[in-house]
Amino acid sequence: MGLLHDLDDGQKREITEADFDYFLDVLPPVAMPLKWKGEHWSFGFAEGHDYVYAFKKEGGKYYAQKTDLLNPHECAHSIEEQQQPGFAERLTEEKEATRAASWIPTWLKLGKANPWIQQASDPPFNTQSFHPCVNDDELLDKFAHGNWCLGQAFYRGDLCFIQQDDGGDEWLAIKQGTPFESISFGRVIRDQGREEAQALLGRFRSASIERCRQLDYYPRLRPAIKVDEEAVGRP
């Protein structure tokens, strides 16, 4: 099956000089030299959107090992960036934000049906109004900043929040295809603290669609109320 297949287990293996020369010459190295997990390698090889394979000559012998790095020319992240602490977690968050974007057509339709959001004109409410947040800290920072234009939308996972008041703090909360609440997150952060706003996001995330629709994601503060999801908007 070939050398790269043999290296799929991630173990460092001794290889032949011919293998070393072949992978050095077949494509331009993606890194030369390469430092990975504290070890120095002669070069890194990668083809397409695949992992980088490290090669080195040491003491008259040749070695190769599959790394956990992706081809920097394909993934848009340099070798150095990929080795920074927390990079893997950030990359996972970015992928989740990208997948969440599949809900944008649904959220756009719901926003245009909202009597306040549909008035947005400068700028108009469209697909460019939606901004992905890779983590809750970024989302809460947006809420705390305030003074967003009518129709500005932020989303994380299957939760989306669209501003209903130009320069105000009235966010239409949507989970997947269900609008269920109008909430002043900026005020929550100012009056009750960032921790409470984070807890509220957690309740939205863990509650079922039906619970969100009935507003019983936080039963200690308010009773369950049946609402017409078509009419949900700014109070």
Side-chain angles (χ1 to χ4, degrees):
M1 295 291 290
L3 176 60
L4 298 188
H5 179 269
D6 294 339
L7 293 171
D8 272 347
D9 61 3
Q11 299 300 308
K12 183 177 179 180
R13 296 180 181 276
E14 185 175 348
I15 62 172
T16 67
E17 181 178 2
D19 283 334
F20 180 91
D21 290 340
Y22 172 80
F23 284 98
L24 177 60
D25 295 333
V26 67
L27 286 175
V30 297
M32 189 174 187
L34 170 68
K35 185 177 181 181
W36 176 62
K37 292 188 175 180
E39 187 170 354
H40 293 275
W41 297 81
S42 301
F43 67 93
F45 168 89
E47 183 176 14
H49 201 291
D50 195 7
Y51 289 99
V52 175
Y53 294 80
F55 291 81
K56 70 186 303 184
K57 178 182 179 181
E58 185 176 65
K61 295 183 178 181
Y62 299 86
Y63 300 91
Q65 186 173 4
K66 181 180 180 180
T67 76
D68 57 1
L69 306 172
L70 290 171
N71 184 345
H73 303 313
E74 295 291 335
C75 75
H77 296 282
S78 70
I79 294 293
E80 293 74 18
E81 183 183 3
Q82 292 185 58
Q83 298 191 76
Q84 293 298 313
F87 173 81
E89 291 78 6
R90 292 196 301 273
L91 190 60
T92 298
E93 291 173 342
E94 290 175 3
K95 289 180 179 178
E96 289 177 352
T98 300
R99 284 195 295 269
S102 63
W103 284 105
I104 289 179
T106 298
W107 296 332
L108 181 65
K109 181 179 179 180
L110 292 171
K112 287 186 173 182
N114 178 280
W116 293 279
I117 297 170
Q118 65 185 215
Q119 298 177 39
S121 60
D122 185 22
F125 178 64
N126 55 36
T127 57
Q128 301 303 309
S129 304
F130 294 84
H131 175 83
C133 294
V134 299
N135 53 49
D136 285 353
D137 281 339
E138 181 183 358
L139 181 57
L140 293 175
D141 285 344
K142 301 298 185 184
F143 292 145
H145 178 274
N147 198 32
W148 294 106
C149 62
L150 182 63
Q152 176 63 58
F154 299 105
Y155 65 92
R156 170 154 160 73
D158 62 359
L159 291 174
C160 178
F161 303 90
I162 310 176
Q163 183 55 246
Q164 300 173 104
D165 187 10
D166 196 20
D169 181 31
E170 290 293 340
W171 298 93
L172 173 64
I174 306 172
K175 182 165 183 174
Q176 297 184 11
T178 301
F180 64 93
E181 180 66 287
S182 180
I183 185 167
S184 301
F185 259 109
R187 183 172 181 177
V188 172
I189 293 172
R190 289 193 304 272
D191 295 351
Q192 302 179 53
R194 194 178 178 99
E195 295 77 10
E196 179 57 31
Q198 175 66 72
L200 192 54
L201 282 177
R203 295 185 186 99
F204 288 172
R205 188 172 291 120
S206 61
S208 66
I209 297 296
E210 184 60 27
R211 283 183 57 203
C212 286
R213 183 182 289 115
Q214 296 184 3
L215 301 182
D216 68 347
Y217 54 83
Y218 200 177
R220 293 178 298 169
L221 290 186
R222 62 193 304 173
I225 302 173
K226 183 67 175 180
V227 297
D228 179 356
E229 63 186 55
E230 294 292 333
V232 171
R234 182 176 49 147

